Amino acid sequence: MSPGEAAFDFTGRVALVTGAGRGIGHAIAQALLETGAEVVGVSRTDESARRLAQLDPEGERLVSFAADVASEQAAEEAVGAALTRFGRLDILINNAGQRSKRGPISELDISDWDEVQATNVRSMYLFCRAAERPLREAGPGYVVNVGSLAGFFGIGYAAAYSASKGAVAQLTKSLAADWASSGIQVNAVAPGYIETDMNADLRRDDPDRARAFGERIPLGRWGRPDDVVGPVLFLCTPAAGYIHGVVLPVDGGVLAR
Ligand code: NDP
């Protein structure tokens, strides 16, 4: 049983999850489906869109498609799919993200900077903007943005990524302040070291460094996508109703050290 199944019931709720084809987003979309929600999932590639679609082959409670989340069209299409297919939108999980290339800032191409900001931050702005009205009408509506520990401290050789995650934190707080009175709750989670494709190369090619990261985690292990699911779902329930604008670390204690 997944963490989602154990404690939550989203029957009758409609959720939109970006980056739902793999990793953390896939685990969140799966848990939302398992707990009764209807789900729209967006991935970048057809392959990932198909992988997600396999969770509900008949497509009764799931729409999965491929698009670049940094495009206005993708945001409009995804929100439109929720409204057309399922009649409402209650939950927006802005999870899609990408790493920056590693290296000193003087050696990086500006296109890498632009792409990382577009995927990690511009997408959140676009999806929040497109979803505002239906989320307000859902009352309460919930937004959970996926930030990173990299939004709390700088990461050497990953300035573009770190800057983008700092922006996610500030966007979250600003929208929370703007939207609390409209019945939309906006929060973020900040995962620590989670085993996904995003860092598979590090774990494969530099196991000593990966182990060193693990040793910095008080809980004594890297996280798994399921570790992020429970906190995200919690932030989409009335139990979290008085929590607005937080960036919740989900990191096995890294920030506490
Ligand atoms: P993965 O690389 O496993 O998955 C990323 C997902 O985002 C994929 O489904 C990918 O689509 C999608 N995506 C990326 N760019 C776009 C785009 N431009 N348009 C549409 N979809 C896109 O990463 P994780 O699951 O690890 O990461 C999820 C989130 O968690 C990210 O925001 C990441 O920054 C954050 N995070 C992850 C940490 C970790 O240790 N893993 C730590 C801290 C934060 P496709 O599958 O089609 O490529």
Side-chain angles (χ1 to χ4, degrees):
M1 182 182 283
S2 75
E5 275 181 287
F8 301 101
D9 182 2
F10 288 98
T11 306
R13 303 284 170 229
V14 178
L16 167 52
V17 183
T18 69
R22 279 191 284 158
I24 294 168
H26 191 276
I28 293 168
Q30 181 167 6
L32 284 163
L33 281 168
E34 288 171 354
T35 53
E38 288 158 325
V39 174
V40 175
V42 187
S43 311
R44 178 164 36 193
T45 59
D46 290 331
E47 184 190 358
S48 281
R50 278 196 296 274
R51 185 182 309 115
L52 180 68
Q54 285 165 10
L55 294 180
D56 178 15
E58 305 299 321
E60 286 171 15
R61 289 194 291 117
L62 173 65
V63 174
S64 176
F65 68 97
D68 181 355
V69 290
S71 77
E72 280 184 83
Q73 194 186 336
E76 298 295 340
E77 197 182 333
V79 171
L83 299 180
T84 310
R85 275 295 308 280
F86 305 126
R88 56 190 292 138
L89 180 63
D90 302 272
I91 294 167
L92 169 61
I93 311 293
N94 278 314
N95 161 79
Q98 70 177 72
R99 282 190 329 194
S100 46
K101 293 201 176 75
R102 279 181 58 73
I105 201 161
S106 56
E107 290 177 15
L108 294 177
D109 195 302
I110 194 165
S111 63
D112 182 58
W113 174 275
D114 288 344
E115 196 181 312
V116 170
Q117 309 313 319
T119 298
N120 296 4
V121 188
R122 177 186 156 99
S123 67
M124 291 194 180
Y125 157 66
L126 292 174
F127 274 72
C128 284
R129 197 179 66 170
E132 179 181 1
R133 188 181 49 76
L135 288 174
R136 196 184 317 121
E137 287 169 2
Y142 300 93
V143 178
V144 180
N145 296 326
V146 179
S148 168
L149 288 192
F152 288 88
F153 46 70
I155 305 231
Y157 282 7
Y161 183 76
S162 201
S164 76
K165 293 301 186 178
V168 168
Q170 296 309 104
L171 177 66
T172 300
K173 293 175 204 172
S174 300
L175 287 179
D178 287 347
W179 287 358
S181 61
S182 309
I184 306 175
Q185 225 168 309
V186 187
N187 290 295
V189 291
Y193 301 103
I194 310 293
E195 290 176 345
T196 69
D197 291 348
M198 187 173 272
N199 44 52
D201 55 348
L202 167 73
R203 287 179 286 115
R204 184 188 58 237
D205 302 338
D206 198 348
D208 289 344
R209 197 157 152 257
R211 201 173 309 112
F213 283 148
E215 284 164 2
R216 293 217 300 266
I217 303 170
L219 200 56
R221 65 166 176 85
W222 280 57
R224 295 179 284 269
D226 273 352
D227 289 315
V228 186
V229 168
V232 168
L233 297 198
F234 164 67
L235 290 171
C236 300
T237 66
Y242 207 61
I243 302 178
H244 285 258
V246 304
V247 183
L248 177 67
V250 184
D251 65 352
V254 174
L255 269 192
R257 178 167 273 174

